[in-house]
Amino acid sequence: MNFSAINFKDKFSKFSEHWSPRVVAEMNDYQFKLVKVEGEFVWHDHPDTDEVFIVLDGILNIEFREGVVTLNPGEMFVIPKGVEHRPVAESECKIMIVEPKGVVNTGDSESELTAENDVWV
Amino acid sequence: MNFSAINFKDKFSKFSEHWSPRVVAEMNDYQFKLVKVEGEFVWHDHPDTDEVFIVLDGILNIEFREGVVTLNPGEMFVIPKGVEHRPVAESECKIMIVEPKGVVNTGDSESELTAENDVWV
């Protein structure tokens, strides 16, 4: 067993790409992913699972077809499965995502922003 | 749909009891719980599930039979299922726990620290 803490700041220092989730931990069949985001993502949904966003640094807007949620550091939101959403960040924002292993970042909306899955940092 | 962010500081302001997890969100069949801890918890394990600890404020030691992990704010650790552990905090520490709905805080080691389950804040 490895008795080292997972330090978010340390992990974020090891990559710079936006919209490219890096797995830092696995709990049962769920993964904890760190992501740097900036600009507008694509509209998409995840038909089979809820998805958790936690903002660690910066400000994230999550747009929905019928509203928007603004997340500051120390805030989280659960996106219900099947609900279309689009994350948008005016400036670089550091977030943690929690979702089942295997979930693709763009859901069913494959695009140039679709990231390789299961990349650890 | 409720478009309000879940703010950890706001949620922590609403309770003061130690070792008494409060659910703030549900994702599929998992729950996100905030806990204020101070002092020594009981040795226990969760035979059926991993458990995630994320420290938001303060310092948490998680003791194992063969080692210890120290978590500062912005750090997390995954306790593998079935592994005995004992959280200890010299001063009050604010943490988030992620685990399947229904997991009891003291696992199989019922004690005076066993908290009521599924209490929301």
Side-chain angles (χ1 to χ4, degrees):
Chain A
M1 198 168 144
N2 175 354
F3 295 109
S4 302
I6 296 162
N7 181 289
F8 301 146
K9 201 168 282 189
D10 174 55
K11 294 291 188 184
F12 275 122
S13 75
K14 296 185 174 173
F15 67 99
S16 56
E17 300 88 334
H18 292 151
W19 307 112
S20 182
R22 305 297 161 110
V23 181
V24 295
E26 234 169 58
M27 170 197 58
N28 302 328
D29 52 347
Y30 280 69
Q31 289 185 330
F32 290 71
K33 305 172 181 178
L34 298 182
V35 199
K36 292 182 176 178
V37 304
E38 186 175 337
E40 298 176 351
F41 202 58
V42 290
W43 282 102
H44 69 285
D45 72 305
H46 304 285
D48 299 321
T49 182
D50 300 342
E51 182 177 44
V52 159
F53 282 75
I54 302 173
V55 169
L56 301 174
D57 187 44
I59 299 171
L60 179 70
N61 290 302
I62 307 177
E63 298 178 1
F64 298 92
R65 294 301 186 185
E66 295 182 355
V68 62
V69 175
T70 299
L71 297 181
N72 291 284
E75 293 187 331
M76 69 177 280
F77 194 78
V78 184
I79 295 163
K81 69 177 173 181
V83 172
E84 273 192 297
H85 58 283
R86 182 174 79 147
V88 177
E90 283 189 26
S91 309
E92 185 177 82
C93 177
K94 299 188 181 83
I95 65 175
M96 184 160 67
I97 288 177
V98 187
E99 61 195 0
K101 187 173 175 175
V103 170
V104 173
N105 66 334
T106 52
D108 283 351
S109 306
E110 190 167 343
S111 84
E112 61 188 11
L113 288 169
T114 301
E116 192 180 351
N117 210 340
D118 202 24
V119 179
W120 286 68
V121 69
Chain B
M1 197 169 145
N2 176 354
F3 294 109
S4 302
I6 296 162
N7 182 290
F8 301 146
K9 201 168 281 188
D10 174 56
K11 294 292 187 185
F12 274 122
S13 75
K14 298 186 172 172
F15 67 99
S16 56
E17 300 89 332
H18 291 152
W19 307 112
S20 183
R22 306 297 162 108
V23 182
V24 295
E26 236 169 57
M27 170 196 58
N28 301 329
D29 52 346
Y30 281 69
Q31 288 185 331
F32 290 71
K33 305 171 181 179
L34 298 181
V35 199
K36 291 180 176 178
V37 304
E38 187 176 337
E40 297 177 353
F41 202 58
V42 290
W43 283 102
H44 69 285
D45 73 304
H46 304 285
D48 299 320
T49 181
D50 300 341
E51 182 177 43
V52 159
F53 282 76
I54 302 173
V55 169
L56 302 174
D57 187 44
I59 298 172
L60 179 71
N61 289 302
I62 307 177
E63 298 178 1
F64 298 91
R65 294 299 185 186
E66 297 183 354
V68 61
V69 175
T70 299
L71 297 181
N72 291 284
E75 294 187 332
M76 69 177 281
F77 194 78
V78 184
I79 295 164
K81 69 176 174 183
V83 172
E84 275 192 296
H85 59 283
R86 181 174 78 146
V88 177
E90 283 190 26
S91 309
E92 186 177 82
C93 176
K94 299 188 181 85
I95 65 175
M96 183 159 68
I97 288 177
V98 187
E99 60 194 1
K101 187 174 177 175
V103 170
V104 173
N105 66 334
T106 52
D108 282 352
S109 306
E110 190 166 342
S111 85
E112 61 188 11
L113 288 170
T114 301
E116 191 180 350
N117 210 341
D118 202 24
V119 179
W120 287 68
V121 68

